[in-house]
Amino acid sequence: MAIAGLRELGRVLRDMGHEDYEWVEKLYGEFVDALVNSVNVVRARLGVEYMVPAPERVADSAMTRVIAVVWPTMALPLDNPLVRRTLEATEELYGLNGGIMNTHQWGTYGSYLTMNLAHSWAILGDRERVGRYLTWIVNHASPTYGWAEGISIITEGGGQGDAPHGWAAADFIMLIRDLIINDLFEAPILIRGTPVDLLRRGITASNILTVHGL
């Protein structure tokens, strides 16, 4: 979060023409380098090729929160091999029938955790993976079109936490929005990561508010 905050602060100061923007952007770059170096020290000690949820332990399903380095923070450069490998390891270890499990705490599928992974792959432009996760997400919506925080692995219905869960609803809306237009980058990007079958059906959108304007 701190890295993302410094990045956005640097952008704001640059757009304002403020004299401190170079100092903030330099601090941001140093912070990213420090994080990558720290992660690499831990990986070398543990003998793993992905980012772990804490320095003292290897993979567990709390890794579903490590993917926040892509969405929502974009804290590390997307071309860093650690980013893709961590997403792959998370779905290899904790993916089940199209959803992502949180066995570490809940023992259920994580609704917004699955959306977070879908969003991360969308940012990386992987249309096929996004399509699979989006299908799971839609198929596991409640009759009122919401999601429980945790969804039972046995019944595949609401099983834990708030229902409907506000984070899940917000994550779904933001995922769909970013599949149409993503303004997290220096310039807005259209239909990045959007599944091909949705493109074939056709997408229409208008008057979308972005950080760059309407």
mmCIF file with all atom_site columns, all heavy atoms in Angstrom, residues 1-11 24-35 68-69 72-76:
data_model
loop_
_atom_site.group_PDB
_atom_site.id
_atom_site.type_symbol
_atom_site.label_atom_id
_atom_site.label_alt_id
_atom_site.label_comp_id
_atom_site.label_asym_id
_atom_site.label_entity_id
_atom_site.label_seq_id
_atom_site.pdbx_PDB_ins_code
_atom_site.Cartn_x
_atom_site.Cartn_y
_atom_site.Cartn_z
_atom_site.occupancy
_atom_site.B_iso_or_equiv
_atom_site.pdbx_formal_charge
_atom_site.auth_seq_id
_atom_site.auth_comp_id
_atom_site.auth_asym_id
_atom_site.auth_atom_id
_atom_site.pdbx_PDB_model_num
ATOM 1   N N   . MET A 1 1  ? 0.820  -1.187 0.000   1.00 0.00 ? 1  MET A N   1
ATOM 2   C CA  . MET A 1 1  ? 0.000  0.000  0.000   1.00 0.00 ? 1  MET A CA  1
ATOM 3   C C   . MET A 1 1  ? 0.867  1.256  0.000   1.00 0.00 ? 1  MET A C   1
ATOM 4   O O   . MET A 1 1  ? 0.569  2.236  -0.681  1.00 0.00 ? 1  MET A O   1
ATOM 5   C CB  . MET A 1 1  ? -0.921 -0.008 1.230   1.00 0.00 ? 1  MET A CB  1
ATOM 6   C CG  . MET A 1 1  ? -2.040 -1.021 1.149   1.00 0.00 ? 1  MET A CG  1
ATOM 7   S SD  . MET A 1 1  ? -3.220 -0.645 -0.186  1.00 0.00 ? 1  MET A SD  1
ATOM 8   C CE  . MET A 1 1  ? -4.470 -1.857 0.158   1.00 0.00 ? 1  MET A CE  1
ATOM 9   N N   . ALA A 1 2  ? 1.941  1.223  0.795   1.00 0.00 ? 2  ALA A N   1
ATOM 10  C CA  . ALA A 1 2  ? 2.813  2.394  0.866   1.00 0.00 ? 2  ALA A CA  1
ATOM 11  C C   . ALA A 1 2  ? 3.456  2.683  -0.484  1.00 0.00 ? 2  ALA A C   1
ATOM 12  O O   . ALA A 1 2  ? 3.574  3.848  -0.897  1.00 0.00 ? 2  ALA A O   1
ATOM 13  C CB  . ALA A 1 2  ? 3.889  2.177  1.931   1.00 0.00 ? 2  ALA A CB  1
ATOM 14  N N   . ILE A 1 3  ? 3.855  1.624  -1.192  1.00 0.00 ? 3  ILE A N   1
ATOM 15  C CA  . ILE A 1 3  ? 4.464  1.802  -2.511  1.00 0.00 ? 3  ILE A CA  1
ATOM 16  C C   . ILE A 1 3  ? 3.452  2.397  -3.486  1.00 0.00 ? 3  ILE A C   1
ATOM 17  O O   . ILE A 1 3  ? 3.754  3.337  -4.230  1.00 0.00 ? 3  ILE A O   1
ATOM 18  C CB  . ILE A 1 3  ? 5.010  0.460  -3.035  1.00 0.00 ? 3  ILE A CB  1
ATOM 19  C CG1 . ILE A 1 3  ? 6.277  0.082  -2.253  1.00 0.00 ? 3  ILE A CG1 1
ATOM 20  C CG2 . ILE A 1 3  ? 5.303  0.519  -4.524  1.00 0.00 ? 3  ILE A CG2 1
ATOM 21  C CD1 . ILE A 1 3  ? 6.860  -1.257 -2.637  1.00 0.00 ? 3  ILE A CD1 1
ATOM 22  N N   . ALA A 1 4  ? 2.245  1.853  -3.485  1.00 0.00 ? 4  ALA A N   1
ATOM 23  C CA  . ALA A 1 4  ? 1.208  2.386  -4.374  1.00 0.00 ? 4  ALA A CA  1
ATOM 24  C C   . ALA A 1 4  ? 0.903  3.843  -4.036  1.00 0.00 ? 4  ALA A C   1
ATOM 25  O O   . ALA A 1 4  ? 0.702  4.673  -4.936  1.00 0.00 ? 4  ALA A O   1
ATOM 26  C CB  . ALA A 1 4  ? -0.057 1.536  -4.262  1.00 0.00 ? 4  ALA A CB  1
ATOM 27  N N   . GLY A 1 5  ? 0.887  4.159  -2.744  1.00 0.00 ? 5  GLY A N   1
ATOM 28  C CA  . GLY A 1 5  ? 0.629  5.536  -2.347  1.00 0.00 ? 5  GLY A CA  1
ATOM 29  C C   . GLY A 1 5  ? 1.706  6.491  -2.822  1.00 0.00 ? 5  GLY A C   1
ATOM 30  O O   . GLY A 1 5  ? 1.404  7.600  -3.303  1.00 0.00 ? 5  GLY A O   1
ATOM 31  N N   . LEU A 1 6  ? 2.962  6.076  -2.725  1.00 0.00 ? 6  LEU A N   1
ATOM 32  C CA  . LEU A 1 6  ? 4.057  6.924  -3.210  1.00 0.00 ? 6  LEU A CA  1
ATOM 33  C C   . LEU A 1 6  ? 3.979  7.107  -4.718  1.00 0.00 ? 6  LEU A C   1
ATOM 34  O O   . LEU A 1 6  ? 4.217  8.207  -5.233  1.00 0.00 ? 6  LEU A O   1
ATOM 35  C CB  . LEU A 1 6  ? 5.400  6.300  -2.832  1.00 0.00 ? 6  LEU A CB  1
ATOM 36  C CG  . LEU A 1 6  ? 5.865  6.490  -1.392  1.00 0.00 ? 6  LEU A CG  1
ATOM 37  C CD1 . LEU A 1 6  ? 7.115  5.667  -1.123  1.00 0.00 ? 6  LEU A CD1 1
ATOM 38  C CD2 . LEU A 1 6  ? 6.124  7.973  -1.100  1.00 0.00 ? 6  LEU A CD2 1
ATOM 39  N N   . ARG A 1 7  ? 3.627  6.035  -5.433  1.00 0.00 ? 7  ARG A N   1
ATOM 40  C CA  . ARG A 1 7  ? 3.518  6.141  -6.892  1.00 0.00 ? 7  ARG A CA  1
ATOM 41  C C   . ARG A 1 7  ? 2.449  7.156  -7.282  1.00 0.00 ? 7  ARG A C   1
ATOM 42  O O   . ARG A 1 7  ? 2.680  8.030  -8.138  1.00 0.00 ? 7  ARG A O   1
ATOM 43  C CB  . ARG A 1 7  ? 3.187  4.778  -7.484  1.00 0.00 ? 7  ARG A CB  1
ATOM 44  C CG  . ARG A 1 7  ? 3.083  4.781  -9.014  1.00 0.00 ? 7  ARG A CG  1
ATOM 45  C CD  . ARG A 1 7  ? 2.526  3.478  -9.543  1.00 0.00 ? 7  ARG A CD  1
ATOM 46  N NE  . ARG A 1 7  ? 1.176  3.255  -9.097  1.00 0.00 ? 7  ARG A NE  1
ATOM 47  C CZ  . ARG A 1 7  ? 0.763  2.158  -8.428  1.00 0.00 ? 7  ARG A CZ  1
ATOM 48  N NH1 . ARG A 1 7  ? 1.608  1.203  -8.140  1.00 0.00 ? 7  ARG A NH1 1
ATOM 49  N NH2 . ARG A 1 7  ? -0.495 2.036  -8.049  1.00 0.00 ? 7  ARG A NH2 1
ATOM 50  N N   . GLU A 1 8  ? 1.282  7.038  -6.643  1.00 0.00 ? 8  GLU A N   1
ATOM 51  C CA  . GLU A 1 8  ? 0.189  7.947  -6.981  1.00 0.00 ? 8  GLU A CA  1
ATOM 52  C C   . GLU A 1 8  ? 0.485  9.379  -6.535  1.00 0.00 ? 8  GLU A C   1
ATOM 53  O O   . GLU A 1 8  ? 0.123  10.339 -7.231  1.00 0.00 ? 8  GLU A O   1
ATOM 54  C CB  . GLU A 1 8  ? -1.111 7.444  -6.356  1.00 0.00 ? 8  GLU A CB  1
ATOM 55  C CG  . GLU A 1 8  ? -1.550 6.075  -6.867  1.00 0.00 ? 8  GLU A CG  1
ATOM 56  C CD  . GLU A 1 8  ? -1.583 6.006  -8.387  1.00 0.00 ? 8  GLU A CD  1
ATOM 57  O OE1 . GLU A 1 8  ? -2.183 6.913  -9.007  1.00 0.00 ? 8  GLU A OE1 1
ATOM 58  O OE2 . GLU A 1 8  ? -1.005 5.066  -8.951  1.00 0.00 ? 8  GLU A OE2 1
ATOM 59  N N   . LEU A 1 9  ? 1.144  9.528  -5.390  1.00 0.00 ? 9  LEU A N   1
ATOM 60  C CA  . LEU A 1 9  ? 1.524  10.867 -4.941  1.00 0.00 ? 9  LEU A CA  1
ATOM 61  C C   . LEU A 1 9  ? 2.479  11.508 -5.940  1.00 0.00 ? 9  LEU A C   1
ATOM 62  O O   . LEU A 1 9  ? 2.346  12.704 -6.266  1.00 0.00 ? 9  LEU A O   1
ATOM 63  C CB  . LEU A 1 9  ? 2.168  10.802 -3.559  1.00 0.00 ? 9  LEU A CB  1
ATOM 64  C CG  . LEU A 1 9  ? 2.702  12.131 -3.000  1.00 0.00 ? 9  LEU A CG  1
ATOM 65  C CD1 . LEU A 1 9  ? 1.580  13.152 -2.873  1.00 0.00 ? 9  LEU A CD1 1
ATOM 66  C CD2 . LEU A 1 9  ? 3.387  11.897 -1.656  1.00 0.00 ? 9  LEU A CD2 1
ATOM 67  N N   . GLY A 1 10 ? 3.431  10.717 -6.438  1.00 0.00 ? 10 GLY A N   1
ATOM 68  C CA  . GLY A 1 10 ? 4.356  11.245 -7.436  1.00 0.00 ? 10 GLY A CA  1
ATOM 69  C C   . GLY A 1 10 ? 3.642  11.708 -8.690  1.00 0.00 ? 10 GLY A C   1
ATOM 70  O O   . GLY A 1 10 ? 3.977  12.751 -9.261  1.00 0.00 ? 10 GLY A O   1
ATOM 71  N N   . ARG A 1 11 ? 2.611  10.960 -9.114  1.00 0.00 ? 11 ARG A N   1
ATOM 72  C CA  . ARG A 1 11 ? 1.852  11.348 -10.306 1.00 0.00 ? 11 ARG A CA  1
ATOM 73  C C   . ARG A 1 11 ? 1.106  12.655 -10.071 1.00 0.00 ? 11 ARG A C   1
ATOM 74  O O   . ARG A 1 11 ? 1.064  13.530 -10.937 1.00 0.00 ? 11 ARG A O   1
ATOM 75  C CB  . ARG A 1 11 ? 0.865  10.242 -10.668 1.00 0.00 ? 11 ARG A CB  1
ATOM 76  C CG  . ARG A 1 11 ? 1.499  8.993  -11.260 1.00 0.00 ? 11 ARG A CG  1
ATOM 77  C CD  . ARG A 1 11 ? 0.452  7.929  -11.524 1.00 0.00 ? 11 ARG A CD  1
ATOM 78  N NE  . ARG A 1 11 ? 1.036  6.750  -12.140 1.00 0.00 ? 11 ARG A NE  1
ATOM 79  C CZ  . ARG A 1 11 ? 0.371  5.627  -12.384 1.00 0.00 ? 11 ARG A CZ  1
ATOM 80  N NH1 . ARG A 1 11 ? -0.906 5.549  -12.058 1.00 0.00 ? 11 ARG A NH1 1
ATOM 81  N NH2 . ARG A 1 11 ? 0.965  4.593  -12.937 1.00 0.00 ? 11 ARG A NH2 1
ATOM 82  N N   . VAL A 1 24 ? 9.818  12.420 -4.635  1.00 0.00 ? 24 VAL A N   1
ATOM 83  C CA  . VAL A 1 24 ? 8.859  11.368 -4.307  1.00 0.00 ? 24 VAL A CA  1
ATOM 84  C C   . VAL A 1 24 ? 9.021  10.181 -5.258  1.00 0.00 ? 24 VAL A C   1
ATOM 85  O O   . VAL A 1 24 ? 8.997  9.017  -4.828  1.00 0.00 ? 24 VAL A O   1
ATOM 86  C CB  . VAL A 1 24 ? 7.411  11.909 -4.352  1.00 0.00 ? 24 VAL A CB  1
ATOM 87  C CG1 . VAL A 1 24 ? 6.400  10.769 -4.213  1.00 0.00 ? 24 VAL A CG1 1
ATOM 88  C CG2 . VAL A 1 24 ? 7.199  12.932 -3.252  1.00 0.00 ? 24 VAL A CG2 1
ATOM 89  N N   . GLU A 1 25 ? 9.205  10.440 -6.540  1.00 0.00 ? 25 GLU A N   1
ATOM 90  C CA  . GLU A 1 25 ? 9.379  9.347  -7.498  1.00 0.00 ? 25 GLU A CA  1
ATOM 91  C C   . GLU A 1 25 ? 10.680 8.589  -7.242  1.00 0.00 ? 25 GLU A C   1
ATOM 92  O O   . GLU A 1 25 ? 10.751 7.372  -7.425  1.00 0.00 ? 25 GLU A O   1
ATOM 93  C CB  . GLU A 1 25 ? 9.335  9.897  -8.915  1.00 0.00 ? 25 GLU A CB  1
ATOM 94  C CG  . GLU A 1 25 ? 7.934  10.367 -9.324  1.00 0.00 ? 25 GLU A CG  1
ATOM 95  C CD  . GLU A 1 25 ? 7.820  10.669 -10.803 1.00 0.00 ? 25 GLU A CD  1
ATOM 96  O OE1 . GLU A 1 25 ? 8.852  10.895 -11.456 1.00 0.00 ? 25 GLU A OE1 1
ATOM 97  O OE2 . GLU A 1 25 ? 6.671  10.693 -11.300 1.00 0.00 ? 25 GLU A OE2 1
ATOM 98  N N   . LYS A 1 26 ? 11.722 9.294  -6.811  1.00 0.00 ? 26 LYS A N   1
ATOM 99  C CA  . LYS A 1 26 ? 12.981 8.630  -6.446  1.00 0.00 ? 26 LYS A CA  1
ATOM 100 C C   . LYS A 1 26 ? 12.783 7.733  -5.228  1.00 0.00 ? 26 LYS A C   1
ATOM 101 O O   . LYS A 1 26 ? 13.255 6.587  -5.194  1.00 0.00 ? 26 LYS A O   1
ATOM 102 C CB  . LYS A 1 26 ? 14.061 9.671  -6.167  1.00 0.00 ? 26 LYS A CB  1
ATOM 103 C CG  . LYS A 1 26 ? 15.419 9.092  -5.758  1.00 0.00 ? 26 LYS A CG  1
ATOM 104 C CD  . LYS A 1 26 ? 16.452 10.207 -5.613  1.00 0.00 ? 26 LYS A CD  1
ATOM 105 C CE  . LYS A 1 26 ? 17.822 9.661  -5.226  1.00 0.00 ? 26 LYS A CE  1
ATOM 106 N NZ  . LYS A 1 26 ? 17.811 9.087  -3.850  1.00 0.00 ? 26 LYS A NZ  1
ATOM 107 N N   . LEU A 1 27 ? 12.038 8.235  -4.235  1.00 0.00 ? 27 LEU A N   1
ATOM 108 C CA  . LEU A 1 27 ? 11.745 7.441  -3.050  1.00 0.00 ? 27 LEU A CA  1
ATOM 109 C C   . LEU A 1 27 ? 10.917 6.215  -3.410  1.00 0.00 ? 27 LEU A C   1
ATOM 110 O O   . LEU A 1 27 ? 11.147 5.117  -2.886  1.00 0.00 ? 27 LEU A O   1
ATOM 111 C CB  . LEU A 1 27 ? 10.998 8.304  -2.030  1.00 0.00 ? 27 LEU A CB  1
ATOM 112 C CG  . LEU A 1 27 ? 10.701 7.682  -0.665  1.00 0.00 ? 27 LEU A CG  1
ATOM 113 C CD1 . LEU A 1 27 ? 12.000 7.295  0.044   1.00 0.00 ? 27 LEU A CD1 1
ATOM 114 C CD2 . LEU A 1 27 ? 9.889  8.650  0.189   1.00 0.00 ? 27 LEU A CD2 1
ATOM 115 N N   . TYR A 1 28 ? 9.961  6.394  -4.316  1.00 0.00 ? 28 TYR A N   1
ATOM 116 C CA  . TYR A 1 28 ? 9.143  5.269  -4.785  1.00 0.00 ? 28 TYR A CA  1
ATOM 117 C C   . TYR A 1 28 ? 10.022 4.189  -5.413  1.00 0.00 ? 28 TYR A C   1
ATOM 118 O O   . TYR A 1 28 ? 9.890  3.001  -5.100  1.00 0.00 ? 28 TYR A O   1
ATOM 119 C CB  . TYR A 1 28 ? 8.111  5.777  -5.786  1.00 0.00 ? 28 TYR A CB  1
ATOM 120 C CG  . TYR A 1 28 ? 7.533  4.721  -6.687  1.00 0.00 ? 28 TYR A CG  1
ATOM 121 C CD1 . TYR A 1 28 ? 6.675  3.740  -6.199  1.00 0.00 ? 28 TYR A CD1 1
ATOM 122 C CD2 . TYR A 1 28 ? 7.843  4.700  -8.045  1.00 0.00 ? 28 TYR A CD2 1
ATOM 123 C CE1 . TYR A 1 28 ? 6.147  2.768  -7.024  1.00 0.00 ? 28 TYR A CE1 1
ATOM 124 C CE2 . TYR A 1 28 ? 7.313  3.734  -8.883  1.00 0.00 ? 28 TYR A CE2 1
ATOM 125 C CZ  . TYR A 1 28 ? 6.471  2.763  -8.376  1.00 0.00 ? 28 TYR A CZ  1
ATOM 126 O OH  . TYR A 1 28 ? 5.953  1.799  -9.203  1.00 0.00 ? 28 TYR A OH  1
ATOM 127 N N   . GLY A 1 29 ? 10.940 4.578  -6.299  1.00 0.00 ? 29 GLY A N   1
ATOM 128 C CA  . GLY A 1 29 ? 11.826 3.614  -6.932  1.00 0.00 ? 29 GLY A CA  1
ATOM 129 C C   . GLY A 1 29 ? 12.699 2.879  -5.925  1.00 0.00 ? 29 GLY A C   1
ATOM 130 O O   . GLY A 1 29 ? 12.919 1.665  -6.037  1.00 0.00 ? 29 GLY A O   1
ATOM 131 N N   . GLU A 1 30 ? 13.186 3.604  -4.929  1.00 0.00 ? 30 GLU A N   1
ATOM 132 C CA  . GLU A 1 30 ? 14.015 2.974  -3.896  1.00 0.00 ? 30 GLU A CA  1
ATOM 133 C C   . GLU A 1 30 ? 13.205 1.984  -3.065  1.00 0.00 ? 30 GLU A C   1
ATOM 134 O O   . GLU A 1 30 ? 13.707 0.923  -2.680  1.00 0.00 ? 30 GLU A O   1
ATOM 135 C CB  . GLU A 1 30 ? 14.615 4.058  -2.993  1.00 0.00 ? 30 GLU A CB  1
ATOM 136 C CG  . GLU A 1 30 ? 15.651 4.934  -3.693  1.00 0.00 ? 30 GLU A CG  1
ATOM 137 C CD  . GLU A 1 30 ? 16.100 6.094  -2.819  1.00 0.00 ? 30 GLU A CD  1
ATOM 138 O OE1 . GLU A 1 30 ? 15.467 6.319  -1.761  1.00 0.00 ? 30 GLU A OE1 1
ATOM 139 O OE2 . GLU A 1 30 ? 17.073 6.781  -3.187  1.00 0.00 ? 30 GLU A OE2 1
ATOM 140 N N   . PHE A 1 31 ? 11.950 2.331  -2.809  1.00 0.00 ? 31 PHE A N   1
ATOM 141 C CA  . PHE A 1 31 ? 11.067 1.455  -2.027  1.00 0.00 ? 31 PHE A CA  1
ATOM 142 C C   . PHE A 1 31 ? 10.797 0.156  -2.796  1.00 0.00 ? 31 PHE A C   1
ATOM 143 O O   . PHE A 1 31 ? 10.832 -0.940 -2.223  1.00 0.00 ? 31 PHE A O   1
ATOM 144 C CB  . PHE A 1 31 ? 9.764  2.180  -1.724  1.00 0.00 ? 31 PHE A CB  1
ATOM 145 C CG  . PHE A 1 31 ? 9.028  1.674  -0.507  1.00 0.00 ? 31 PHE A CG  1
ATOM 146 C CD1 . PHE A 1 31 ? 8.103  2.492  0.128   1.00 0.00 ? 31 PHE A CD1 1
ATOM 147 C CD2 . PHE A 1 31 ? 9.245  0.409  0.005   1.00 0.00 ? 31 PHE A CD2 1
ATOM 148 C CE1 . PHE A 1 31 ? 7.404  2.052  1.247   1.00 0.00 ? 31 PHE A CE1 1
ATOM 149 C CE2 . PHE A 1 31 ? 8.561  -0.045 1.128   1.00 0.00 ? 31 PHE A CE2 1
ATOM 150 C CZ  . PHE A 1 31 ? 7.641  0.775  1.740   1.00 0.00 ? 31 PHE A CZ  1
ATOM 151 N N   . VAL A 1 32 ? 10.535 0.265  -4.102  1.00 0.00 ? 32 VAL A N   1
ATOM 152 C CA  . VAL A 1 32 ? 10.311 -0.925 -4.926  1.00 0.00 ? 32 VAL A CA  1
ATOM 153 C C   . VAL A 1 32 ? 11.552 -1.810 -4.913  1.00 0.00 ? 32 VAL A C   1
ATOM 154 O O   . VAL A 1 32 ? 11.466 -3.034 -4.731  1.00 0.00 ? 32 VAL A O   1
ATOM 155 C CB  . VAL A 1 32 ? 9.947  -0.532 -6.371  1.00 0.00 ? 32 VAL A CB  1
ATOM 156 C CG1 . VAL A 1 32 ? 9.942  -1.767 -7.273  1.00 0.00 ? 32 VAL A CG1 1
ATOM 157 C CG2 . VAL A 1 32 ? 8.582  0.133  -6.417  1.00 0.00 ? 32 VAL A CG2 1
ATOM 158 N N   . ASP A 1 33 ? 12.727 -1.218 -5.106  1.00 0.00 ? 33 ASP A N   1
ATOM 159 C CA  . ASP A 1 33 ? 13.975 -1.990 -5.100  1.00 0.00 ? 33 ASP A CA  1
ATOM 160 C C   . ASP A 1 33 ? 14.178 -2.687 -3.760  1.00 0.00 ? 33 ASP A C   1
ATOM 161 O O   . ASP A 1 33 ? 14.601 -3.852 -3.706  1.00 0.00 ? 33 ASP A O   1
ATOM 162 C CB  . ASP A 1 33 ? 15.160 -1.078 -5.400  1.00 0.00 ? 33 ASP A CB  1
ATOM 163 C CG  . ASP A 1 33 ? 15.174 -0.577 -6.836  1.00 0.00 ? 33 ASP A CG  1
ATOM 164 O OD1 . ASP A 1 33 ? 14.481 -1.186 -7.680  1.00 0.00 ? 33 ASP A OD1 1
ATOM 165 O OD2 . ASP A 1 33 ? 15.863 0.417  -7.107  1.00 0.00 ? 33 ASP A OD2 1
ATOM 166 N N   . ALA A 1 34 ? 13.868 -1.980 -2.665  1.00 0.00 ? 34 ALA A N   1
ATOM 167 C CA  . ALA A 1 34 ? 14.044 -2.570 -1.339  1.00 0.00 ? 34 ALA A CA  1
ATOM 168 C C   . ALA A 1 34 ? 13.107 -3.752 -1.144  1.00 0.00 ? 34 ALA A C   1
ATOM 169 O O   . ALA A 1 34 ? 13.494 -4.788 -0.573  1.00 0.00 ? 34 ALA A O   1
ATOM 170 C CB  . ALA A 1 34 ? 13.798 -1.511 -0.263  1.00 0.00 ? 34 ALA A CB  1
ATOM 171 N N   . LEU A 1 35 ? 11.863 -3.631 -1.628  1.00 0.00 ? 35 LEU A N   1
ATOM 172 C CA  . LEU A 1 35 ? 10.901 -4.727 -1.502  1.00 0.00 ? 35 LEU A CA  1
ATOM 173 C C   . LEU A 1 35 ? 11.363 -5.938 -2.305  1.00 0.00 ? 35 LEU A C   1
ATOM 174 O O   . LEU A 1 35 ? 11.348 -7.069 -1.802  1.00 0.00 ? 35 LEU A O   1
ATOM 175 C CB  . LEU A 1 35 ? 9.524  -4.278 -1.973  1.00 0.00 ? 35 LEU A CB  1
ATOM 176 C CG  . LEU A 1 35 ? 8.440  -5.373 -2.003  1.00 0.00 ? 35 LEU A CG  1
ATOM 177 C CD1 . LEU A 1 35 ? 8.200  -5.949 -0.625  1.00 0.00 ? 35 LEU A CD1 1
ATOM 178 C CD2 . LEU A 1 35 ? 7.134  -4.829 -2.591  1.00 0.00 ? 35 LEU A CD2 1
ATOM 179 N N   . ALA A 1 68 ? -2.067 -9.119 -4.116  1.00 0.00 ? 68 ALA A N   1
ATOM 180 C CA  . ALA A 1 68 ? -2.378 -7.686 -4.096  1.00 0.00 ? 68 ALA A CA  1
ATOM 181 C C   . ALA A 1 68 ? -1.250 -6.853 -4.695  1.00 0.00 ? 68 ALA A C   1
ATOM 182 O O   . ALA A 1 68 ? -1.455 -5.678 -5.003  1.00 0.00 ? 68 ALA A O   1
ATOM 183 C CB  . ALA A 1 68 ? -2.657 -7.216 -2.668  1.00 0.00 ? 68 ALA A CB  1
ATOM 184 N N   . VAL A 1 69 ? -0.064 -7.443 -4.883  1.00 0.00 ? 69 VAL A N   1
ATOM 185 C CA  . VAL A 1 69 ? 1.017  -6.687 -5.541  1.00 0.00 ? 69 VAL A CA  1
ATOM 186 C C   . VAL A 1 69 ? 0.656  -6.376 -6.984  1.00 0.00 ? 69 VAL A C   1
ATOM 187 O O   . VAL A 1 69 ? 1.273  -5.503 -7.605  1.00 0.00 ? 69 VAL A O   1
ATOM 188 C CB  . VAL A 1 69 ? 2.374  -7.429 -5.496  1.00 0.00 ? 69 VAL A CB  1
ATOM 189 C CG1 . VAL A 1 69 ? 2.838  -7.604 -4.067  1.00 0.00 ? 69 VAL A CG1 1
ATOM 190 C CG2 . VAL A 1 69 ? 2.311  -8.757 -6.224  1.00 0.00 ? 69 VAL A CG2 1
ATOM 191 N N   . PRO A 1 72 ? -4.986 -4.864 -5.783  1.00 0.00 ? 72 PRO A N   1
ATOM 192 C CA  . PRO A 1 72 ? -5.230 -3.543 -6.375  1.00 0.00 ? 72 PRO A CA  1
ATOM 193 C C   . PRO A 1 72 ? -4.051 -2.569 -6.368  1.00 0.00 ? 72 PRO A C   1
ATOM 194 O O   . PRO A 1 72 ? -4.213 -1.433 -6.792  1.00 0.00 ? 72 PRO A O   1
ATOM 195 C CB  . PRO A 1 72 ? -6.338 -3.010 -5.460  1.00 0.00 ? 72 PRO A CB  1
ATOM 196 C CG  . PRO A 1 72 ? -5.999 -3.565 -4.118  1.00 0.00 ? 72 PRO A CG  1
ATOM 197 C CD  . PRO A 1 72 ? -5.430 -4.934 -4.380  1.00 0.00 ? 72 PRO A CD  1
ATOM 198 N N   . THR A 1 73 ? -2.883 -2.981 -5.889  1.00 0.00 ? 73 THR A N   1
ATOM 199 C CA  . THR A 1 73 ? -1.824 -1.986 -5.673  1.00 0.00 ? 73 THR A CA  1
ATOM 200 C C   . THR A 1 73 ? -0.894 -1.772 -6.858  1.00 0.00 ? 73 THR A C   1
ATOM 201 O O   . THR A 1 73 ? -0.320 -0.700 -7.004  1.00 0.00 ? 73 THR A O   1
ATOM 202 C CB  . THR A 1 73 ? -0.956 -2.382 -4.468  1.00 0.00 ? 73 THR A CB  1
ATOM 203 O OG1 . THR A 1 73 ? -0.209 -3.564 -4.778  1.00 0.00 ? 73 THR A OG1 1
ATOM 204 C CG2 . THR A 1 73 ? -1.806 -2.616 -3.225  1.00 0.00 ? 73 THR A CG2 1
ATOM 205 N N   . MET A 1 74 ? -0.697 -2.802 -7.703  1.00 0.00 ? 74 MET A N   1
ATOM 206 C CA  . MET A 1 74 ? 0.334  -2.742 -8.756  1.00 0.00 ? 74 MET A CA  1
ATOM 207 C C   . MET A 1 74 ? 1.651  -2.253 -8.160  1.00 0.00 ? 74 MET A C   1
ATOM 208 O O   . MET A 1 74 ? 2.324  -1.378 -8.676  1.00 0.00 ? 74 MET A O   1
ATOM 209 C CB  . MET A 1 74 ? -0.114 -1.858 -9.926  1.00 0.00 ? 74 MET A CB  1
ATOM 210 C CG  . MET A 1 74 ? -1.214 -2.485 -10.754 1.00 0.00 ? 74 MET A CG  1
ATOM 211 S SD  . MET A 1 74 ? -1.756 -1.476 -12.161 1.00 0.00 ? 74 MET A SD  1
ATOM 212 C CE  . MET A 1 74 ? -0.255 -1.399 -13.135 1.00 0.00 ? 74 MET A CE  1
ATOM 213 N N   . ALA A 1 75 ? 2.018  -2.856 -7.009  1.00 0.00 ? 75 ALA A N   1
ATOM 214 C CA  . ALA A 1 75 ? 3.182  -2.405 -6.253  1.00 0.00 ? 75 ALA A CA  1
ATOM 215 C C   . ALA A 1 75 ? 4.501  -2.778 -6.914  1.00 0.00 ? 75 ALA A C   1
ATOM 216 O O   . ALA A 1 75 ? 5.507  -2.114 -6.688  1.00 0.00 ? 75 ALA A O   1
ATOM 217 C CB  . ALA A 1 75 ? 3.139  -2.981 -4.835  1.00 0.00 ? 75 ALA A CB  1
ATOM 218 N N   . LEU A 1 76 ? 4.504  -3.846 -7.714  1.00 0.00 ? 76 LEU A N   1
ATOM 219 C CA  . LEU A 1 76 ? 5.732  -4.257 -8.399  1.00 0.00 ? 76 LEU A CA  1
ATOM 220 C C   . LEU A 1 76 ? 5.544  -4.109 -9.904  1.00 0.00 ? 76 LEU A C   1
ATOM 221 O O   . LEU A 1 76 ? 4.431  -4.228 -10.419 1.00 0.00 ? 76 LEU A O   1
ATOM 222 C CB  . LEU A 1 76 ? 6.071  -5.714 -8.068  1.00 0.00 ? 76 LEU A CB  1
ATOM 223 C CG  . LEU A 1 76 ? 6.492  -6.021 -6.632  1.00 0.00 ? 76 LEU A CG  1
ATOM 224 C CD1 . LEU A 1 76 ? 6.843  -7.486 -6.494  1.00 0.00 ? 76 LEU A CD1 1
ATOM 225 C CD2 . LEU A 1 76 ? 7.664  -5.147 -6.206  1.00 0.00 ? 76 LEU A CD2 1
#
